[in-house]
Amino acid sequence: MSEDEVLLQQLFEDDKLTEKQKKIILAAIESFSEKGYAATSTSEIAKKAGVAEGTIFRHYKTKKELLVSIVAPLMAKLIGPFIVNDFHKVLDHPYEHVEDFLRAAIQNRSDIIKKMLPVIKIMMQEIPFQPELREQFLEQVARKTFDRILLVIKEYQDKGQLIEMPTLSAARLAISSIFGYLISRYIFFPDSEWDDELEIERTVQFIMHGLSQR
Amino acid sequence: MSEDEVLLQQLFEDDKLTEKQKKIILAAIESFSEKGYAATSTSEIAKKAGVAEGTIFRHYKTKKELLVSIVAPLMAKLIGPFIVNDFHKVLDHPYEHVEDFLRAAIQNRSDIIKKMLPVIKIMMQEIPFQPELREQFLEQVARKTFDRILLVIKEYQDKGQLIEMPTLSAARLAISSIFGYLISRYIFFPDSEWDDELEIERTVQFIMHGLSQR
DNA sequence: TCATTTAATGAGTGATTACTCACTTTTATT
DNA sequence: AATAAAAGTGAGTAATCACTCATTAAATGA
């Protein structure tokens, strides 16, 4: 099984899709992430997928519906394990120190991003232009994640491990550092040699010292 | 004079442009940043600019040339003052402390971003898809800026103000924090109330403590 | 096995695309 | 004022766009 098909399986494991439908989605992901949504034609997707153009519209009423059907499941994947696992653990106190939580959080996000990179690129590209995606992202991903992050930060602030600062500002600084690493690692310089463990540790230490009680 | 025209003047002050050409550029900036480059048609730009469609192609051979002519000057603006002013000052030691340099750098970038926001949006959107823009950005902006940043960081590391860490990693962490603030401020939550001075100070302190000698 | 549903097809649709070009109008030069 | 050059026009073009639909193929269930 190819890497692409592994990616596909993880994103669409719960759905019952025909073989042609899977090929359409794979072809669309490839073209959308390479050329952008608007610059990709349905005929091109059909050709790459090895199906008739009409087959695309049998399963998806419009081209935009195809886009949404690709990006929407990713949002669930992005938010799901984050909320269910990480935060549950934190709020139930298995991570006594904020550093341990940070390490786990970055590692978690890192794995998902690595696997879903093309779809994430599509998502980031189209969110500014597709109100439907934008709304879904803000409500399902950003809002829920942010609320939880605020809780966690408050928790560690109360423990005296973090500096007293509006949690919003603290969250912004921590999130910037994490995404700065992920974006550098997987978007800007994916071909450089990375000692991931070391860079994650540096990022964690940077956040820790930057936000620690002085 | 409208705000848009101020923006225009700053971006294209050195060029001799006809009135219609200015209107075309303004219309293109508006449409490109709202709908994206690929999703914007030349007929739409012509209509918005109040010119005939042929006029666009009198000045720009292709639609892509129009895009480049909008984004390219911005890159010079982004890099120009950064290198000429900020770094010159740093390397000639008027900023004894790294914090003072950081404050000045963020303030400088902040002003430019505020003014050029729509064009910056276009640039960020299209760099992944337009090799010409990508190359220009990497060579003119990213490379030069990065080289200088590395020098500055090395300078302050030698002074003992910054932790010993590969300068590349230190640069990544500092840049992430700065851009995290700028993106939050002007892209994600431009409508929230911001105490800019305070947030910049928090960001500076965060970087300082995160990277300071321990 | 046969009937019914579902999947797949590809030629065809009108609309829109980026771009051209013969022509008119404006500006600059002498 | 005469001439040349540059700017502006808008109807026209072939290509391509997202999408439809009548028809055929495959899968399903009794």
Side-chain angles (χ1 to χ4, degrees):
Chain A
M1 194 185 294
S2 80
E3 275 193 54
D4 277 354
E5 278 160 1
V6 173
L7 166 88
L8 175 99
Q9 278 223 338
Q10 295 188 342
L11 253 191
F12 307 100
E13 52 195 359
D14 294 335
D15 303 348
K16 299 158 196 161
L17 302 179
T18 56
E19 279 307 309
K20 306 237 168 191
Q21 218 167 338
K22 289 181 189 171
K23 282 180 182 170
I24 289 169
I25 287 180
L26 277 186
I29 289 176
E30 196 179 316
S31 290
F32 285 166
S33 77
E34 274 174 15
K35 311 177 52 182
Y37 167 75
T40 300
S41 70
T42 49
S43 69
E44 186 188 334
I45 296 171
K47 201 175 173 184
K48 181 172 274 175
V51 304
E53 203 175 342
T55 308
I56 294 176
F57 292 96
R58 174 128 323 250
H59 296 287
Y60 309 97
K61 276 178 232 165
T62 64
K63 185 185 162 193
K64 191 173 289 180
E65 198 179 293
L66 172 59
L67 170 71
V68 171
S69 82
I70 287 172
V71 176
L74 174 76
M75 305 222 198
K77 274 281 167 201
L78 275 179
I79 185 64
F82 202 24
I83 284 190
V84 175
N85 299 332
D86 306 9
F87 284 107
H88 193 263
K89 282 184 204 158
V90 166
L91 296 175
D92 291 356
H93 311 293
Y95 297 126
E96 184 55 34
H97 298 285
V98 63
E99 318 169 43
D100 304 323
F101 164 69
L102 274 175
R103 260 185 291 270
I106 296 178
Q107 190 61 57
N108 184 317
R109 237 82 330 240
S110 189
D111 289 346
I112 292 181
I113 286 188
K114 205 182 308 182
K115 286 175 193 156
M116 309 293 183
L117 199 53
V119 188
I120 288 177
K121 275 187 181 174
I122 298 170
M123 187 184 80
M124 290 173 57
Q125 278 289 324
E126 293 307 319
I127 277 181
F129 303 131
Q130 313 290 346
E132 190 176 346
L133 290 183
R134 191 183 168 83
E135 206 172 312
Q136 220 173 82
F137 179 80
L138 285 177
E139 281 178 17
Q140 293 185 21
V141 183
R143 209 194 149 68
K144 287 182 188 172
T145 309
F146 212 68
D147 287 351
R148 299 284 180 139
I149 289 177
L150 291 184
L151 271 180
V152 172
I153 289 179
K154 195 90 188 63
E155 172 100 2
Y156 287 113
Q157 278 180 338
D158 291 346
K159 276 191 194 172
Q161 291 188 29
L162 294 182
I163 192 176
E164 285 300 328
M165 176 193 286
T167 40
L168 264 167
S169 300
R172 166 175 69 75
L173 292 165
I175 292 173
S176 296
S177 303
I178 294 173
F179 276 82
Y181 162 67
L182 296 176
I183 290 171
S184 302
R185 174 67 181 83
Y186 295 111
I187 312 257
F188 282 158
F189 312 109
D191 301 328
S192 302
E193 282 190 22
W194 285 82
D195 184 338
D196 288 317
E197 206 172 323
L198 182 58
E199 285 303 322
I200 290 177
E201 189 55 33
R202 280 188 184 126
T203 306
V204 169
Q205 291 303 322
F206 175 71
I207 297 174
M208 286 308 301
H209 283 85
L211 291 183
S212 64
Q213 205 60 262
R214 282 151 199 175
Chain B
M1 194 186 294
S2 80
E3 275 194 54
D4 277 354
E5 278 162 1
V6 173
L7 166 88
L8 176 99
Q9 277 222 338
Q10 295 189 340
L11 252 191
F12 307 99
E13 51 195 1
D14 294 334
D15 303 349
K16 299 158 196 161
L17 302 178
T18 56
E19 279 308 308
K20 305 237 167 189
Q21 218 167 338
K22 289 180 190 172
K23 282 181 182 168
I24 289 170
I25 288 180
L26 278 186
I29 289 175
E30 195 179 318
S31 289
F32 286 165
S33 77
E34 274 174 15
K35 312 176 53 183
Y37 167 74
T40 300
S41 69
T42 50
S43 69
E44 184 189 336
I45 295 171
K47 200 175 173 184
K48 181 172 275 175
V51 304
E53 205 175 342
T55 308
I56 294 177
F57 292 96
R58 173 131 319 253
H59 296 287
Y60 309 96
K61 276 179 235 165
T62 63
K63 184 185 163 192
K64 190 173 288 179
E65 199 180 292
L66 173 59
L67 170 70
V68 171
S69 82
I70 287 172
V71 176
L74 174 77
M75 304 221 198
K77 274 280 168 203
L78 275 179
I79 185 64
F82 202 24
I83 283 189
V84 174
N85 299 332
D86 305 10
F87 284 109
H88 193 263
K89 283 182 202 158
V90 167
L91 297 176
D92 291 355
H93 312 293
Y95 297 127
E96 185 56 32
H97 297 285
V98 64
E99 316 169 45
D100 304 322
F101 164 70
L102 273 176
R103 261 185 291 270
I106 296 178
Q107 190 61 57
N108 185 317
R109 239 91 314 252
S110 190
D111 289 346
I112 292 181
I113 286 188
K114 205 183 307 182
K115 287 174 193 158
M116 308 293 183
L117 199 53
V119 188
I120 289 177
K121 275 186 181 173
I122 297 170
M123 186 184 79
M124 290 172 57
Q125 278 290 323
E126 292 307 319
I127 277 181
F129 303 131
Q130 313 290 346
E132 191 176 344
L133 290 184
R134 191 183 167 84
E135 208 172 312
Q136 221 173 83
F137 179 80
L138 286 177
E139 281 178 17
Q140 293 185 21
V141 184
R143 209 192 150 69
K144 287 182 188 172
T145 310
F146 212 68
D147 287 351
R148 300 283 180 138
I149 289 177
L150 291 184
L151 271 180
V152 172
I153 288 180
K154 195 88 187 59
E155 171 101 1
Y156 286 113
Q157 278 181 337
D158 291 345
K159 277 190 192 172
Q161 290 188 29
L162 293 182
I163 191 176
E164 286 299 328
M165 173 192 287
T167 40
L168 265 168
S169 300
R172 166 175 69 74
L173 291 166
I175 293 173
S176 296
S177 303
I178 294 174
F179 276 82
Y181 162 67
L182 295 176
I183 291 171
S184 302
R185 173 68 180 82
Y186 295 111
I187 311 254
F188 281 158
F189 311 109
D191 300 328
S192 301
E193 281 190 24
W194 285 81
D195 184 337
D196 287 318
E197 207 172 323
L198 182 59
E199 285 302 323
I200 289 178
E201 190 55 33
R202 278 187 185 128
T203 306
V204 170
Q205 291 304 321
F206 175 71
I207 297 174
M208 287 306 302
H209 282 85
L211 291 182
S212 64
Q213 205 61 263
R214 280 150 201 173

